[in-house]
Amino acid sequence: MSLRTHRALTHPRIGTFLAIYTSAIVALLVLLVILEQLGTGEARIRNVIIIAPIGLFAIIGLLAYTRSSRGFFVAERRVPAFFGGLASAVTMFGGTGLAALSGMLFLVGQDALAIGLGVLLGVMVLAMLLAPFFRKHGAFTVPEYLGHRFESPIVRLLTGLVLMVGLAALLLAELRFGLHLAAATLGQPLGLVVPAAALLLVASLVLGGMRGLTWSNSAQAIAFLLAMMAPLVIVSLQFTNLPIAPFTYGGLLEKVARQEVVLGLASRPTALFEVSLVGAHAVPLERPYLGAFANIGLLGYPFLVISIMGGIAALPSVLARMSAATSVAESRRTTGWTAAIVALIVLSLPAYAVFSRRLVLGEFAAGPLAAPPLWLAQLEELSLAHVNGGAGAPIDLARIAFSRDGTLAIIPLAAGMPVALVYFAISGLLAAAFAGASARILAIANILTQDVIFGFSSGARSAPGSLAVARVLVCLIAPFAAYFAAGITADPLRLFLLGLGFIGSATLAPLVMSIWWKRINTLGAIAGIGAGALFAGGYIVLGESGALPPPLSLDLVLVGALGIPVSAGFAALASLLGAKPGLKARDLVLEMRLPSGETIRDREERLAPSRRRSGRAT
């Protein structure tokens, strides 16, 4: 009986729709490969493989139209676990994180795994300490949950304002990366790409909200995974005769290491807290893949992992997606699928980097080249690499600078695959960037609607007019953010890491303590959120201005590892100094820990009319 009820609650055809979408993408890729062999021009193939999937994302979002607030804010709580996990995994990284992780693995080696480990540990914290209990409460947003948990609209408003700062940094990172990659790939000016991207983002969100976001994000995640795995499977078959690259590339490591020694790639000593990230500008391949702590110091590594972990676990766009699951048990399965897909990405991208190195280093095994190979010339045309020095001089590895954010194109180019696969890899990164950007836009719009505009009046229910306001905000935020992101020069990876560090510093400790420590009170929540946000914001501002003294001037991307204990300490101290929470707050905590029973927010919304009537009668 319970199984039939569970199936009735989930969306009945989403699996069929996305299977059709996947088949269409694969068929399109095969058709373009055939047309390429028949002489179709590269420009036409590029335009179709880049634009067609993005157009499908917008259509999926438009078809997910909903009239209800529950449909817009939590997809009517009908999202199956697999698709919730699929969408969450890719939006956690976004295009910025995925491109930076793949690029840094290729350029600096295994030190870059700190990014992947941070995301994976963040999923573990989310699954064990937050997601099931957040789903039992059923809040539409993180600020709404904290405001109800502490019976304080001040906590709700403060949390909303703080989270929007971190989300804005993440949104600008995604748009900065995606817009410039799309403009460079399509050969179009930013002035044309910006309004087109804003229109597509609005189309995928404005009618369906969380429902449209989930279905379009699932399609975007499928597009990225196909774009990553297709070249990887092909090159793995070429080198190892097996299609399971994450488990077979180990045999190439010894060959790659010998080539690195011959070509003079060497590690360098690093300071304990040093974090030398590869910037958005092109850099040469100088570090051996297995050179541990060559770019990130011995203590900088765990600090960076913790900073990323805290931001991922408290990410508002992901926690809100947990409320869209059909039940508490389904939210646990959602985090399980999220962890599995994140693990697949974290296992596959190192293999991608090793195979890329094998192909690139193999070109220089016999010494410098008289002319650039075809794949290098194509990378230069795409602005993903360039050759330094004079035009007539022999080309060695030290003269080639690779773009961090375009290394997924190296394997299909260097292995001589059809050009359709090259642009398919780039379209996968664009899909991930659109997924990350749309998730941040909807999270900001929902927080502005539910917690800033209507936060003092709506309580644990949706205020009349909130749906219309959220849709208007989506239409305003997307073009404004796209226009602003096109003009900034900041490194998207740095913005991404700073945004995660800020969110983790401000909200992770209060969120965890609100579930696992009944003694925390309203004063403690305000102190923890305020202290974490002020510390992280102040540290970033002082660090960027060079005002931090040398003993304290750690790399700013480590701010989350410093801010989380500050937030926890202030929250605990203020709670112990203040009054004990009331019986209602303690009962709420106990109820959230029970997986069975009605969703708390839904019950509050159901009982609200009768309570208002009884209040008027008395």
Side-chain angles (χ1 to χ4, degrees):
M1 182 67 181
S2 61
L3 183 60
R4 290 196 296 271
T5 302
H6 170 74
R7 285 181 176 171
L9 283 171
T10 58
H11 195 288
R13 296 186 183 89
I14 182 59
T16 302
F17 293 158
L18 289 175
I20 294 171
Y21 161 82
T22 305
S23 301
I25 292 295
V26 173
L28 176 64
L29 178 62
V30 172
L31 176 62
L32 290 175
V33 170
I34 294 172
L35 291 176
E36 179 185 344
Q37 303 306 312
L38 295 176
T40 302
E42 180 178 333
R44 291 184 179 180
I45 292 173
R46 176 195 65 202
N47 293 338
V48 172
I49 201 66
I50 295 293
I51 296 173
I54 295 176
L56 283 176
F57 304 149
I59 292 172
I60 291 170
L62 291 171
L63 293 176
Y65 170 70
T66 180
R67 297 179 181 179
S68 68
S69 293
R70 278 168 59 91
F72 190 90
F73 293 111
V74 288
E76 297 174 346
R77 307 199 196 280
R78 296 176 64 196
V79 177
F82 173 74
F83 297 107
L86 184 65
S88 297
V90 172
T91 55
M92 282 177 176
F93 283 102
T96 302
L98 291 167
L101 176 57
S102 61
M104 287 186 60
L105 281 166
F106 173 72
L107 291 168
V108 304
Q110 63 182 359
D111 278 2
L113 280 174
I115 297 173
L117 290 175
V119 175
L120 191 56
L121 286 176
V123 177
M124 297 296 103
V125 172
L126 175 72
M128 293 186 292
L129 302 182
L130 294 174
F133 315 102
F134 192 87
R135 172 59 186 86
K136 178 60 184 291
H137 185 277
F140 288 180
T141 65
V142 171
E144 180 190 330
Y145 159 70
L146 288 174
H148 186 227
R149 163 65 176 84
F150 296 107
E151 303 176 83
S152 170
I154 300 297
V155 171
R156 185 173 183 174
L157 178 62
L158 175 63
T159 308
L161 295 175
V162 165
L163 286 177
M164 283 193 295
V165 175
L167 285 169
L170 296 175
L171 174 58
L172 291 177
E174 292 302 315
L175 290 174
R176 168 71 172 77
F177 164 74
L179 291 173
H180 284 263
L181 180 61
T185 304
L186 295 172
Q188 300 294 331
L190 275 175
L192 180 62
V193 173
V194 167
L199 181 63
L200 289 168
L201 287 168
V202 169
S204 66
L205 295 174
V206 67
L207 296 183
M210 179 62 77
R211 186 181 179 190
L213 177 73
T214 302
W215 306 154
S216 60
N217 279 178
S218 297
Q220 288 155 346
I222 291 169
F224 170 76
L225 292 174
L226 287 175
M228 176 184 70
M229 296 306 297
L232 190 55
V233 168
I234 294 171
V235 78
S236 179
L237 286 169
Q238 290 178 350
F239 280 100
T240 68
N241 296 321
L242 292 171
I244 46 176
F247 305 103
T248 59
Y249 76 95
L252 289 179
L253 284 173
E254 184 178 353
K255 297 178 181 177
V256 169
R258 286 200 299 267
Q259 290 176 324
E260 289 169 345
V261 171
V262 171
L263 294 171
L265 276 63
S267 299
R268 65 177 182 87
T270 55
L272 281 178
F273 287 97
E274 181 179 347
V275 179
S276 297
L277 299 174
V278 177
H281 57 280
V283 296
L285 180 59
E286 297 177 330
R287 302 279 177 265
Y289 181 80
L290 294 177
F293 306 115
N295 275 68
I296 303 178
L298 188 60
L299 294 181
Y301 197 97
F303 271 55
L304 180 59
V305 170
I306 292 170
S307 184
I308 296 171
M309 175 198 73
I312 292 295
L315 200 58
S317 55
V318 174
L319 277 169
R321 206 185 293 274
M322 297 301 113
S323 280
T326 58
S327 65
V328 172
E330 196 75 354
S331 72
R332 294 182 187 275
R333 297 187 192 100
T334 299
T335 55
W337 279 113
T338 304
I341 296 165
V342 168
L344 173 65
I345 293 170
V346 173
L347 287 172
S348 299
L349 288 180
Y352 210 103
V354 171
F355 282 116
S356 298
R357 282 192 173 225
R358 180 73 175 89
L359 290 166
V360 170
L361 298 180
E363 291 282 352
F364 299 93
L369 305 176
L374 179 60
W375 60 266
L376 181 56
Q378 291 172 313
L379 280 177
E380 288 190 278
E381 289 179 10
L382 293 170
S383 301
L384 299 179
H386 66 262
V387 179
N388 299 311
I395 300 173
D396 58 16
L397 184 64
R399 290 184 56 197
I400 303 174
F402 296 92
S403 170
R404 179 198 65 199
D405 295 335
T407 55
L408 281 183
I410 290 177
I411 282 182
L413 281 174
M417 297 180 193
V419 72
L421 278 170
V422 178
Y423 290 112
F424 188 49
I426 296 174
S427 74
L429 286 177
L430 289 173
F434 272 93
S438 58
R440 310 328 180 211
I441 288 170
L442 187 65
I444 294 172
N446 289 352
I447 289 173
L448 273 171
T449 302
Q450 294 285 339
D451 308 307
V452 177
I453 297 175
F454 295 108
F456 281 87
S457 59
S458 62
R461 59 188 178 84
S462 296
S466 61
L467 180 57
V469 171
R471 283 177 167 152
V472 170
L473 287 172
V474 166
C475 294
L476 294 175
I477 292 169
F480 175 78
Y483 176 80
F484 187 78
I488 63 175
T489 58
D491 178 14
L493 175 60
R494 196 163 184 83
L495 278 176
F496 173 75
L497 295 176
L498 290 178
L500 289 180
F502 185 86
I503 289 172
S505 295
T507 58
L508 179 63
L511 276 170
V512 173
M513 295 167 78
S514 71
I515 295 168
W516 297 103
W517 191 40
K518 290 182 286 185
R519 182 64 176 81
I520 186 172
N521 55 24
T522 303
L523 181 62
I526 293 173
I529 295 167
L534 288 174
F535 175 84
Y539 195 87
I540 292 170
V541 170
L542 292 174
E544 290 290 348
S545 63
L548 287 173
L552 301 176
S553 58
L554 303 182
D555 196 291
L556 300 182
V557 299
L558 305 179
V559 67
L562 304 175
I564 292 171
V566 170
S567 175
F570 272 86
L573 181 61
S575 296
L576 292 174
L577 293 177
K580 290 185 178 181
L583 183 61
K584 182 179 178 180
R586 294 197 294 271
D587 289 344
L588 177 63
V589 173
L590 292 175
E591 186 177 3
M592 282 193 300
R593 295 178 184 176
L594 296 174
S596 60
E598 187 177 5
T599 299
I600 295 170
R601 189 193 192 280
D602 293 351
R603 185 188 65 218
E604 294 284 330
E605 193 164 19
R606 178 174 56 81
L607 297 177
S610 60
R611 288 174 178 171
R612 287 197 300 272
R613 287 195 298 269
S614 63
R616 285 196 297 268
T618 57

